[in-house]
């Protein structure tokens, strides 16, 4: 395949982009590491090359390369207005993510990206917005939440439903507490099971949807979490009357090239890396009903 | 209970979302021995294995349903809030609670006597049918939610 036929979908700026080979990672240095939960960390990264920066859209992802170990697709969880700082929240579940989670400040990783279509936030302007996050589904939604907070007047009611397995699996706990103080949005937090030290809601996220405050036909929903959680959540939102074309899910598949060539992430007619990861439920619903796609 | 107190409770029961479209005359028969109660945080409403002699309409607060786990502290598997109904063990023999229920916030409920309620349901079959048709979706929803919980959706 001729390399001049390869064009990353989103242009990055500064040194390291331009004529660089699209498969060549750009070096970034870990500047801070926060332990979110026992198996999840947030890494803050700065470009190693002077003047490099990485502009992105909420919902996009990077291929993060741990030298000598391998590469993994990780959503970007930072602020779109700070392209000089890259933030990734990683759960240690495999070889690469275990290596990533073990990194400490000063370590260097390779970054390719950003890739994919992010959340279609413009389509939600003037409408109510429902954000449903399950477990590690909150980090890919956080950049979009920042965007909504910055332009709060452009949206109707904003409802956030955040679920996790147990209270200790809730990420960004301190930050979410500050969101709870805001009067211009409503947050429901629920866990699947808890001990007596938790006096919040217990139950799956779908239980909170009938109680959520939004005008269903005039609502756009962004849903991110494990696929099975998104399936049930999308069904519950559709049952409330949210149009299926206005329910967006962030799909996860085995991303390899991230450029829409290798086909590892093919999901029905879509390549998740190129056409997604954020895709409308209207398109996904028939596929979600099929086992082993 | 005085007639006035009984009327006041019946009025509150009729305003509870579960009872809004149920025939008031029949509700009066069902709630003749009902009473309002308050629970502080941590107080138990029911204990697993004990006779289910009443059921509850939640007026305010939050109740945690707990499952015993041997010698470990109970695990909360669901929370019930204002506007919801707690308990159906009183309808199914041998009428014993299948879980613990504990107030996780200051809570007010209306406790409805199970024997009086069962008598009213049996004596007024149309009312009984209507009541059960309202309770069945609540039970079905909780069953479906439990199934989703069993899938451990956040563990994938």
């Amino acid at each position: 395949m001729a390399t001049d036929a390869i064009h990353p979908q989103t242009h990055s700026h500064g040194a390291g982009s331009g004529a660089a080979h699209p498969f060549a990672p750009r070096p970034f240095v870990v500047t801070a590491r926060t332990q979110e939960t026992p198996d999840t960390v947030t890494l803050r990264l700065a470009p190693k090359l002077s003047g490099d920066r990485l502009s992105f859209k909420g919902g996009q992802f990077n291929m993060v390369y741990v030298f000598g170990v391998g590469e993994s697709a990780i959503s970007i969880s930072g602020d779109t207005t700070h392209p000089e700082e890259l933030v990734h929240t990683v759960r240690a579940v495999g070889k690469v993510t275990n290596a990533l989670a073990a990194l400490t400040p000063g370590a260097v990783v390779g970054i390719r990206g950003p890739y994919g279509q992010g959340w279609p936030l413009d389509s939600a302007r003037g409408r109510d917005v429902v954000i449903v996050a399950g477990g590690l589904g909150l980090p890919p939604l956080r950049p979009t939440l920042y965007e909504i907070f910055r332009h709060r007047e452009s949206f109707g009611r904003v409802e956030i439903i955040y679920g996790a397995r147990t209270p200790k699996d809730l990420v960004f706990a301190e930050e979410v507490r500050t969101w709870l103080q805001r009067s211009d949005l409503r947050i429901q937090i629920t866990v699947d099971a808890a001990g007596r030290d938790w006096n919040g809601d217990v139950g799956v996220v779908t239980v909170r949807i009938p109680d959520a405050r939004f005008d269903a036909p005039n609502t756009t929903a962004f849903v991110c979490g494990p696929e099975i959680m998104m399936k049930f959540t999308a069904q519950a939102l559709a049952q409330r009357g949210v149009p299926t074309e206005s329910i967006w899910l962030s799909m996860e598949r085995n991303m390899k090239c991230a450029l829409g060539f290798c086909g590892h992430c093919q999901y029905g007619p879509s390549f998740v890396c190129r056409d997604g990861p954020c895709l409308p439920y209207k398109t996904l619903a028939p596929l979600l009903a099929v086992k082993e796609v | 209970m005085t007639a006035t107190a009984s009327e006041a409770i019946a009025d509150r029961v009729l305003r509870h979302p579960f009872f809004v479209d149920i025939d008031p005359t029949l509700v009066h028969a069902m709630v003749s021995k009902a009473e309002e109660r308050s629970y502080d945080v941590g107080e138990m409403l029911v204990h697993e294995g004990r006779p289910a002699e009443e059921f509850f309409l939640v007026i305010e607060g939050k109740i945690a349903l707990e499952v015993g786990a041997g010698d470990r502290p109970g695990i909360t598997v669901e929370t019930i809030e204002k506007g919801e109904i707690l308990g159906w063990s009183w309808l199914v023999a041998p009428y014993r609670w299948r879980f613990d229920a504990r107030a996780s916030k200051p809570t007010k409920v209306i406790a409805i006597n199970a024997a009086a309620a069962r008598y009213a349901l049996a004596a007024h079959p149309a009312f009984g049918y209507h009541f059960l048709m309202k309770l069945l979706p609540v039970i079905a929803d909780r069953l479906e939610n439990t199934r989703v919980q069993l899938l451990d959706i956040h563990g994938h």
Side-chain angles (χ1 to χ4, degrees), chain B residues 16 35-36 45 59-60 62 64 80-81 92 99 101 103 106-107 122 140 149:
Chain B
H16 190 276
E35 61 180 33
E36 279 194 42
L45 283 82
I59 305 299
E60 63 181 58
K62 186 178 291 185
I80 305 283
E81 296 181 2
V92 183
F99 49 78
T107 295
Q149 254 170 323

Side-chain angles (χ1 to χ4, degrees), chain A residues 91 134-135 163-165 192-196 198-208 226 228-229 232, chain B residues 42 44 62 66 73-79 81 100 102 104-105 144-145 148-149 151-156:
Chain A
R91 177 185 283 167
R165 207 177 192 181
D192 290 356
R196 286 192 170 178
W198 170 258
N199 64 1
D201 291 330
V202 178
V204 289
V205 285
T206 48
V207 175
R208 313 315 310 174
I228 195 161
M229 165 265 172
F232 284 108
Chain B
M44 302 299 291
K62 186 178 291 185
E66 297 180 345
I75 296 168
T76 303
V77 293
E78 189 175 5
T79 44
E81 296 181 2
D100 292 334
R102 177 181 52 84
S104 59
K105 286 187 176 171
E144 188 174 311
N145 294 336
V148 176
Q149 254 170 323
L151 288 169
D152 189 16
I153 57 174
H154 296 115
H156 288 67

Side-chain angles (χ1 to χ4, degrees), chain B residues 14 31 40 55 98 113 137 148:
Chain B
L14 285 165
V31 302
D40 290 330
F55 68 97
R98 289 161 167 79
N113 181 276
V148 176

Side-chain angles (χ1 to χ4, degrees), chain B residues 78-101:
Chain B
E78 189 175 5
T79 44
I80 305 283
E81 296 181 2
K82 174 183 176 181
E84 295 188 273
I85 183 170
L86 167 63
W88 46 268
S89 302
W90 62 278
L91 265 173
V92 183
Y95 312 124
R96 289 188 180 276
W97 292 112
R98 289 161 167 79
F99 49 78
D100 292 334

Side-chain angles (χ1 to χ4, degrees), chain A residues 5 13 21 26 44-45 69 76 78 91 102-103 112 114 144 149 167 173 185 194 201 279:
Chain A
H13 307 283
H21 190 290
R26 293 147 62 186
R44 293 182 181 278
L45 307 164
V69 180
I76 307 170
R91 177 185 283 167
L103 294 177
R112 290 196 294 125
T144 298
F149 295 165
L185 55 88
D201 291 330
L279 293 161

